[in-house]
Amino acid sequence: MKAAVTYEDGNIFQHFGRTEQFKLYDVEDGAIVSEEILDTNGTGHGALAGLLREAGVEVLVCGGIGMGAQNALQSAGIRLYPGVSGSADEAVKALVNGTLRYDPETHCGHHGHGGEHTCGSHGCGSH
């Protein structure tokens, strides 16, 4: 399995569409066998699903994510585990062990509010 996590400074970045990096993990026989950082190079929102698909990603762990991006990931055949925060490495270990706590109802629906903000500043990813 190849898993990806929205990534910033060791932690899960809380706004999928604005992530600048993903950390990718190759998992075999219940163990993480390799890790790498994938830069998005300015790609955002729905186009990120194609970037992940091209990288062979099967599973994404993230914080907040909008419905358009969720639909794009579903179309790309990528399983989604949203509503996760904290250490990226620990989240993937929990995923592999079957103990990952996530919220399948997480939706980042603030697009169009106007102004700059991050999902984490208003709890997106935790509702």
Side-chain angles (χ1 to χ4, degrees), residues 13-19 44-46 48 63-70 106-119 122 124-125 127:
F13 186 69
Q14 291 299 301
H15 187 151
F16 172 80
R18 294 183 188 219
T19 193
H45 292 93
L48 291 171
I65 184 167
M67 287 302 299
Q70 288 184 31
T106 297
H107 304 291
C108 195
H110 58 75
H111 299 271
H113 283 197
E116 285 294 315
H117 63 279
T118 61
C119 286
H122 68 279
C124 192
H127 53 93

Side-chain angles (χ1 to χ4, degrees), residues 12-107:
I12 297 168
F13 186 69
Q14 291 299 301
H15 187 151
F16 172 80
R18 294 183 188 219
T19 193
E20 294 181 8
Q21 294 182 321
F22 290 99
K23 189 166 185 181
L24 306 181
Y25 301 81
D26 284 310
V27 178
E28 294 178 8
D29 298 321
I32 298 169
V33 296
S34 68
E35 304 172 8
E36 68 178 292
I37 302 296
L38 174 65
D39 288 319
T40 64
N41 296 319
T43 302
H45 292 93
L48 291 171
L51 179 71
L52 293 172
R53 184 181 61 235
E54 288 174 19
V57 170
E58 301 164 71
V59 174
L60 173 70
V61 177
C62 67
I65 184 167
M67 287 302 299
Q70 288 184 31
N71 293 336
L73 289 165
Q74 183 177 13
S75 293
I78 298 171
R79 287 183 314 231
L80 178 63
Y81 294 86
V84 182
S85 61
S87 165
D89 291 349
E90 292 303 315
V92 173
K93 287 177 188 172
L95 175 71
V96 170
N97 294 330
T99 60
L100 180 65
R101 293 177 51 112
Y102 68 100
D103 181 359
E105 300 301 316
T106 297
H107 304 291

